[in-house]
Amino acid sequence: MKKLLTAIVFSAMTLTGMGGGAAEAAPAPAAKPVVTIKAKTDTSAVKPKDDNTVIEAKKAAEASLAAKQVQPQVAFPDTLYPRTKGDDYFKDAKLKNNITYAPLPNLTKEDIIYSGVVNVKKKDITAAAFVTGAQYEGDLADEQYSKFFVKGNLSQDAIRQLYTYNVALLRLEYGLNDVFLKTASAVKLEGEEIPYGILSVRIPKVEQIHKLKGYENIYTASINPVFVADNYLIPLHIRAFAAHVDGKYRNLLIIGPASETDIFDQAGLDIILSKPKDEKK
């Protein structure tokens, strides 16, 4: 069970961007999920007692090969991935009085992304959400992201990249469920009885990437996935931001319960536009 859940979380992070940042409201590349299979794939040395044994051996070999090739079926544009090390801009941000932030250990050894938990208070409600993101600057960042933050119309290349990303968002439900099923199948080959339906997801609402109304320098997108984990429903709201602030490129992914959608959307906007604590007005 632990192996399955670990693989599922890693696969989900790869698809949703939590494994490597959310550049331009898109995920940075995490290592493709790989499941180690103990079942032997070479059946030439098997000496079956009957035809059924031969059939089962072949099925096991085919399943083992398929499991080794488990990978997301959603391809995001490479040009959206950060090519340079990012900075943790929200750790030292001057946040509004109703928002507190607690950092978590980095999720990648390369320090591509940074993450933490925010608590947002609104009237009598205090809601918690997971945040991850980074800030980029320099020649590589300009080369990679400046095309999305120009005055007037975007270039055909930038439009094509955004279109590719939106198509990937629309296919995200299929891609995640495909990874979950293949991962469950791979773990079963190791002798553990894992139900295929232990985890699945529905994404009834997809808000494609677009410029935030009233903000020429901010892109946003969101999804509202409903995970089914061992017959428990887990509805989430995931909001992504990508912005050009003070000559730097920022991204932010905020993930929280679907019941507090408006609170997290506003908190995410406040964070993406935040100033450093020591910066003078």
Side-chain angles (χ1 to χ4, degrees):
M1 179 68 71
K2 183 178 180 181
K3 294 178 182 178
L4 174 63
L5 294 179
T6 300
I8 285 173
V9 169
F10 192 74
S11 302
M13 287 172 62
T14 303
L15 284 169
T16 61
M18 293 168 59
E24 293 304 331
K32 293 181 179 178
V34 178
V35 180
T36 302
I37 308 301
K38 295 179 180 178
K40 295 182 179 179
T41 57
D42 184 7
T43 60
S44 60
V46 176
K47 297 180 180 180
K49 296 181 180 180
D50 50 43
D51 292 340
N52 289 334
T53 306
V54 175
I55 295 174
E56 292 302 320
K58 288 183 177 180
K59 286 183 177 180
E62 292 172 357
S64 177
L65 180 61
K68 288 181 179 179
Q69 298 173 344
V70 171
Q71 59 182 335
Q73 299 300 308
V74 180
F76 290 102
D78 290 339
T79 49
L80 293 178
Y81 301 150
R83 298 171 185 167
T84 182
K85 181 179 177 180
D87 297 319
D88 186 355
Y89 69 93
F90 43 82
K91 182 180 69 172
D92 298 317
K94 185 178 181 180
L95 302 175
K96 290 188 174 181
N97 293 333
N98 67 318
I99 302 176
T100 58
Y101 170 78
L104 296 175
N106 294 339
L107 296 180
T108 66
K109 294 180 179 179
E110 294 79 12
D111 294 333
I112 293 176
I113 64 170
Y114 302 88
S115 58
V117 175
V118 291
N119 285 285
V120 187
K121 187 175 182 179
K122 184 177 181 180
K123 295 182 179 180
D124 296 331
I125 299 175
T126 300
F130 173 83
V131 294
T132 182
Q135 176 175 270
Y136 308 92
E137 59 181 318
D139 293 339
L140 281 177
D142 287 336
E143 179 184 348
Q144 191 171 4
Y145 300 129
S146 62
K147 69 182 73 175
F148 300 105
F149 297 96
V150 297
K151 293 183 178 180
N153 297 327
L154 297 177
S155 67
Q156 290 298 314
D157 180 52
I159 293 174
R160 181 169 56 252
Q161 290 175 25
L162 293 177
Y163 171 78
T164 302
Y165 173 69
N166 281 328
V167 170
L169 272 182
L170 294 173
R171 298 187 61 212
L172 190 57
E173 178 182 314
Y174 162 77
L176 279 173
N177 283 313
D178 184 59
V179 169
F180 295 158
L181 290 174
K182 287 182 177 178
T183 303
S185 175
V187 175
K188 276 189 173 184
L189 291 176
E190 295 186 337
E192 300 182 33
E193 292 297 326
I194 304 297
Y196 279 104
I198 190 172
L199 182 63
S200 62
V201 65
R202 287 291 312 278
I203 306 179
K205 180 183 177 182
V206 175
E207 178 187 324
Q208 298 183 48
I209 184 172
H210 62 283
K211 281 192 174 182
L212 184 62
K213 186 177 180 180
Y215 296 89
E216 284 297 316
N217 63 328
I218 299 178
Y219 287 91
T220 189
S222 73
I223 59 174
N224 288 80
V226 180
F227 289 90
V228 181
D230 199 17
N231 294 323
Y232 287 93
L233 295 179
I234 307 173
L236 297 176
H237 176 64
I238 303 177
R239 169 69 64 181
F241 292 95
H244 189 219
V245 180
D246 297 332
K248 302 175 182 179
Y249 305 95
R250 291 179 173 180
N251 60 61
L252 178 73
L253 200 67
I254 185 165
I255 306 171
S259 58
E260 314 299 345
T261 296
D262 294 339
I263 294 179
F264 296 138
D265 284 352
Q266 184 59 52
L269 180 60
D270 292 337
I271 294 172
I272 201 78
L273 292 174
S274 64
K275 301 288 185 179
K277 293 177 181 178
D278 58 353
E279 182 174 300
K280 295 181 180 180
K281 293 184 179 181

